[in-house]
Amino acid sequence: MECSIDSAGIAAAQASQPTVAETERFDGIDLLTLGNAIATPFYAYSANAIRQRIADLQQALAGMDAVVCFAVKANPTLAILQLMAKAGLGADIVSSGELRRSLRAGIPASRIVFSGVGKSDAEIAEALDAGVGRFNIESVDELAALQRIAHQRGAIARAAVRINPDVDARTHGKISTGKAENKFGVSIDEARQWFADADRRGNVRLDGLHMHIGSQILELEPMRQALQRLAAFWRELTKDGHRIDSIDVGGGLGVVYRKEHDRPIELQGYVQAMKEALVGFEGRVILEPGRYLVAEAGVLLTRVIRTKGNDERRFLVVDAAMNDLLRPSLYDAWHDIDKVASDEGGTRPRVAYDIVGPVCETGDTLATARMLPPCAPGDLLAVRGAGAYGASMSSTYNSRPLIAEVLVDDGCYALIRRKQSFEDMVAGEQAATSWRAL
Ligand code: LLP
């Protein structure tokens, strides 16, 4: 690929660091040089790493009638969605905002599935008008709303029922979705009734099954169990004369956040479990992976602002915070963190650091007692596994503007989201000058 204007930034950074030896290559770019070319903190994603994940998944699914719908919530930045569109992927969306992003990125409406427990009437209408491929329906209320809105528009909505298979995904409680106590989906007993009543809903074609039991799943067994429950229900429905055209198995494939520790499910085994459960199914299988496709392709680059210590701890205060990457604060999530330096501290003994951000909360901790080479203000750190649920969950808490995102591809980089300016951040706010009475 020809780097255009953007490569100038890298060239300039390289020229200003003539003595710095190369560090790690990140999709053909030296990570330290990249960190010096753009103001930290920022997210960087490797386009090739994302393409590789897509290719691996598509290869594992070869021979099946399967469509991969990227879970947009994992990383909704337009340039990332454009990568997905280019590879022929669809999208799994949960809001009108995600619908618009997907369409703008060039993902065809027919390849979009609309999930989520709380779709508003306006969102349902908008998605119907856009012609989304399928609504994944999570409650009888929602089913009625879909019928009503589709009827008003003279449309026929295609729908799947989201089954809650009551399986423990054995992941973090806050991202487990397939237990009966969770708000998601409906029981098989309830779904059975929906199919029995299908004739009463002339504007909804209920011909799909859906499930999603949780996220960052590292064991195949819960997946297999859920697939088998779903498949048994499909068989029962077929026997009763209901036609099922699509089975959406959700997302959830876990990734490596902690090298030498996390063992993701092997794709082959996962696809095999799917094939075994669904033997004889002639419709389309839909997958909704988010994290698997993008998490490991992303890093958050952040710089040490201060070091401080007391009798108990040594702290690295860095320029990224919980508002930029919420996962450690919200889920106690582990992200590997490395110092990006040509010598990486040489032979000096490693130090246990608490890596914290500038936000005024004790929970603003990216990592605790992490062993790193000795660090000083100005040093660059790479927070790994930041490509999914990183930028997408960020906020402006403490009035910190949303940070930049950069896509790296074969030795070139492009800014895909500029850092928010102060004016961007306060746009939409106004003084309370125009008072109204009700
Ligand atoms: N499909 C549905 C209906 C979902 O709710 C989700 C994720 C996915 C697919 C994609 O799941 P994945 O393949 O990415 O595991 N913020 C949390 C993750 C929340 C996931 C919510 N739903 C985190 O940072 O770990």
Side-chain angles (χ1 to χ4, degrees):
M1 187 204 297
E2 279 269 313
C3 293
S4 51
I5 320 147
D6 283 323
S7 59
I10 285 286
Q14 216 126 31
S16 70
Q17 304 274 333
T19 55
V20 172
E22 293 228 320
T23 61
E24 173 192 335
R25 290 255 134 201
F26 183 81
D27 207 336
I29 277 187
D30 176 65
L31 207 53
L32 186 59
T33 313
L34 181 68
N36 291 335
I38 300 160
T40 57
F42 66 94
Y43 282 100
Y45 312 115
S46 157
N48 277 302
I50 295 173
R51 285 192 206 105
Q52 188 60 51
R53 283 294 166 105
I54 297 172
D56 290 349
L57 189 54
Q58 281 174 336
Q59 201 180 339
L61 295 167
M64 288 173 73
D65 178 5
V67 175
V68 177
C69 292
F70 174 60
V72 172
K73 61 175 83 68
N75 192 325
T77 307
L78 287 168
I80 299 296
L81 298 184
Q82 277 160 353
L83 272 179
M84 304 300 171
K86 214 163 169 189
L89 267 57
D92 163 51
I93 60 158
V94 291
S95 68
S96 147
E98 290 190 351
L99 171 64
R100 294 180 193 194
R101 282 178 174 277
S102 303
L103 294 173
R104 185 170 294 185
I107 295 174
S110 60
R111 288 187 166 248
I112 296 178
V113 294
F114 195 175
S115 305
V117 287
K119 307 172 189 79
S120 69
D121 285 6
E123 285 177 318
I124 292 174
E126 183 179 347
L128 270 174
D129 292 347
V132 304
R134 200 165 273 287
F135 290 82
N136 289 333
I137 300 295
E138 306 229 12
S139 64
V140 73
D141 271 11
E142 188 191 354
L143 185 60
L146 182 61
Q147 164 59 29
R148 173 172 45 79
I149 298 165
H151 180 71
Q152 283 161 3
R153 305 180 118 65
I156 305 281
R158 299 198 66 178
V161 49
R162 177 167 177 175
I163 301 294
N164 183 325
D166 197 17
V167 166
D168 183 353
R170 294 191 220 141
T171 182
H172 191 287
K174 285 191 177 150
I175 52 175
S176 170
T177 52
K179 292 277 289 164
E181 71 218 40
N182 302 135
K183 69 180 175 184
F184 299 99
V186 300
S187 68
I188 286 179
D189 284 345
E190 180 171 346
R192 191 177 285 122
Q193 198 54 47
W194 292 14
F195 282 96
D197 297 342
D199 289 347
R200 286 204 242 136
R201 294 179 304 261
N203 296 80
V204 175
R205 203 160 110 203
L206 187 66
D207 60 3
L209 297 178
H210 173 233
M211 70 171 185
H212 170 76
I213 62 168
S215 202
Q216 183 55 10
I217 300 173
L218 293 171
E219 292 175 56
L220 182 55
E221 218 29 57
M223 296 276 213
R224 194 199 304 276
Q225 208 181 357
L227 281 165
Q228 280 167 354
R229 288 191 188 171
L230 194 71
F233 186 44
W234 154 63
R235 291 205 166 81
E236 175 195 324
L237 289 169
T238 310
K239 215 163 69 217
D240 291 347
H242 300 289
R243 190 189 148 136
I244 301 298
D245 278 347
S246 74
I247 294 187
D248 182 334
V249 299
L253 287 172
V255 301
V256 176
Y257 283 111
R258 195 171 177 172
K259 235 195 265 170
E260 327 291 345
H261 182 274
D262 296 337
R263 297 255 170 282
I265 295 170
E266 281 182 22
L267 275 188
Q268 289 303 338
Y270 176 55
V271 173
Q272 194 51 35
M274 217 182 292
K275 284 181 174 164
E276 278 167 18
L278 298 178
V279 68
F281 177 63
E282 286 176 354
R284 171 162 287 184
V285 175
I286 299 170
L287 293 92
E288 301 172 346
R291 189 186 322 261
Y292 171 81
L293 295 178
V294 290
E296 289 178 57
V299 289
L300 169 62
L301 288 173
T302 181
R303 212 171 275 289
V304 177
I305 302 177
R306 309 251 179 282
T307 61
K308 58 183 280 186
N310 57 29
D311 291 347
E312 289 194 20
R313 327 285 297 183
R314 293 198 55 78
F315 296 100
L316 295 179
V317 185
V318 298
D319 59 9
M322 65 188 287
N323 69 298
D324 305 306
L325 180 66
L326 185 58
R327 303 192 71 256
S329 306
L330 192 59
Y331 313 118
D332 291 322
W334 176 290
H335 285 256
D336 279 338
I337 300 180
D338 299 306
K339 179 178 176 183
V340 186
S342 47
D343 68 342
E344 287 204 349
T347 52
R348 284 183 292 162
R350 295 190 160 230
V351 182
Y353 288 116
D354 284 6
I355 303 170
V356 300
V359 162
C360 301
E361 294 214 25
T362 301
D364 183 22
T365 299
L366 290 173
T368 308
R370 205 57 78 80
M371 300 306 291
L372 285 181
C375 290
D379 282 345
L380 188 69
L381 303 182
V383 183
R384 311 287 176 175
Y389 307 109
S392 68
M393 290 174 72
S394 60
S395 75
T396 58
Y397 184 42
N398 275 210
S399 287
R400 293 167 49 87
L402 298 179
I403 64 178
E405 292 170 79
V406 164
L407 189 64
V408 183
D409 195 355
D410 269 340
C412 302
Y413 78 98
L415 189 65
I416 56 172
R417 181 194 181 116
R418 66 173 161 78
K419 181 183 173 190
Q420 203 176 34
S421 67
F422 171 75
E423 291 305 330
D424 291 337
M425 189 167 56
V426 297
E429 296 181 30
Q430 57 189 8
T433 48
S434 156
W435 299 94
R436 295 168 203 211
L438 277 178

